[in-house]
Amino acid sequence: MATTIKTIETSHGTIAVRESAGAGMPVLMIHGNSSSGAVFRNQFDGRIGATYRLIAADLPGHGESCNAVDPDRSYSMPGYADAMTEVMNRLGIEKAAVFGWSLGGHIGLEMIDRYPGMLGLMITGTPPIAAADLGKGFKTSPHMNLAGQETFTEEDIDAYAHSTCGEPYDQLLRNAVARTDGRARRLMLGKFAAGEGKDQSAIVAGKTPPIAVLNGADEPFVNTDFVDTIPFSNLWEGKKHLISNSGHAPFWDSPDRFDPIFDRFLKTLEPGWRGLPGAV
């Protein structure tokens, strides 16, 4: 069965939502800056998508969603977290696992207090930091300059599309960057640098559902050594996972190695979804 796409009306605007054919535990997949839910194609088209009810909502200003009704409200990590929580509520999904990639991971962390049905969260390419540690959590690179730049040239579009996911390259990556509302980049990164939103290092040190951390060993943008120093109160399997010969998007460049770890994490959350006694 193919992925289905529908739209949902929210207070942030019209949101496009992809769902896989699976009938199991719902899993919200949150994409990164200037991307879309289409980036999770490997998981939607594979065994993960056939097993679980994968849900990938395009953020406001991204993909097939409309631009934000109120950019100042929506284009921030807390704004996006509010939008994704509203999507889950509109879908009537009271319990779900969450996967967040890059910006999506930051959004997932901001959702913990907003979405009480979050069974667990996996983050990839996401350093859980406070604004003061922005320079420690991310490596200096041209990509980081583009991450908050409103207007892109054709060369900028190509550079950003190639750098975020690496190989194999696909036109859908470029299309997603070209479509993104540039105000979303400028406002989101500006607000984060100014301290809007929660100290995410404090979030992961507090009371949370299980959090899995999975990064590519060749991560070009996130300082994984610094991420290793951040304490988590409820770290899945008691360690942070690395996939060798993988970059910023292991789910894209190495699905054969990413998916089994992702599936293992999701299986540990299923008892909570089913309401079994003693479930986390």
Side-chain angles (χ1 to χ4, degrees), residues 34-275:
S34 300
S35 186
S36 79
V39 77
F40 301 121
R41 180 178 63 194
N42 292 322
Q43 289 67 47
F44 269 71
D45 291 349
R47 189 173 63 83
I48 296 281
T51 303
Y52 301 97
R53 181 186 175 185
L54 301 187
I55 300 157
D58 292 347
L59 296 172
H62 293 72
E64 296 185 44
S65 293
C66 73
N67 290 346
V69 173
D70 180 353
D72 190 60
R73 174 190 175 216
S74 300
Y75 294 156
S76 67
M77 292 175 189
Y80 287 138
D82 185 76
M84 294 299 98
T85 301
E86 189 173 340
V87 165
M88 297 301 277
N89 291 337
R90 293 292 178 93
L91 290 172
I93 299 174
E94 296 182 357
K95 293 182 179 181
V98 178
F99 172 77
W101 168 51
S102 197
L103 169 61
H106 294 291
I107 295 166
L109 291 168
E110 289 276 355
M111 284 181 68
I112 289 174
D113 287 343
R114 289 176 168 82
Y115 184 58
M118 187 185 295
L119 298 167
L121 170 67
M122 177 179 278
I123 58 175
T124 292
T126 304
I129 55 175
D133 289 326
L134 191 62
K136 297 178 182 177
F138 293 96
K139 299 176 181 178
T140 302
S141 71
H143 164 92
M144 286 307 298
N145 293 332
L146 291 176
Q149 185 171 304
E150 179 170 352
T151 303
F152 273 9
T153 64
E154 292 298 311
E155 291 75 17
D156 292 335
I157 293 171
D158 284 334
Y160 200 85
H162 277 91
S163 64
T164 49
C165 287
E167 299 299 331
Y169 185 73
D170 191 289
Q171 183 67 27
L172 76 84
L173 303 175
R174 189 185 194 284
N175 292 345
V177 176
R179 175 273 173 268
T180 302
D181 183 352
R183 297 173 297 175
R185 287 187 293 268
R186 175 177 57 80
L187 289 169
M188 179 278 296
L189 196 59
K191 289 173 180 291
F192 183 46
E196 182 167 327
K198 298 177 181 177
D199 176 345
Q200 297 190 348
S201 63
I203 292 176
V204 300
K207 185 176 181 180
T208 70
I211 298 179
V213 179
L214 176 59
N215 290 309
D218 299 329
E219 168 64 68
F221 312 121
V222 175
N223 184 346
T224 55
D225 289 338
F226 182 73
V227 172
D228 283 343
T229 70
I230 299 172
F232 285 67
S233 67
N234 195 0
L235 183 64
W236 178 64
E237 294 191 338
K239 65 179 182 178
K240 295 154 187 172
H241 297 259
L242 283 176
I243 294 182
S244 61
N245 301 311
S246 177
H248 189 54
F251 59 88
W252 175 268
D253 66 38
S254 305
D256 57 324
R257 291 176 295 147
F258 170 88
D259 285 2
I261 300 172
F262 189 33
D263 184 50
R264 191 166 82 238
F265 175 62
L266 295 177
K267 278 184 167 57
T268 66
L269 305 180
E270 282 191 307
W273 175 61
R274 298 183 188 280

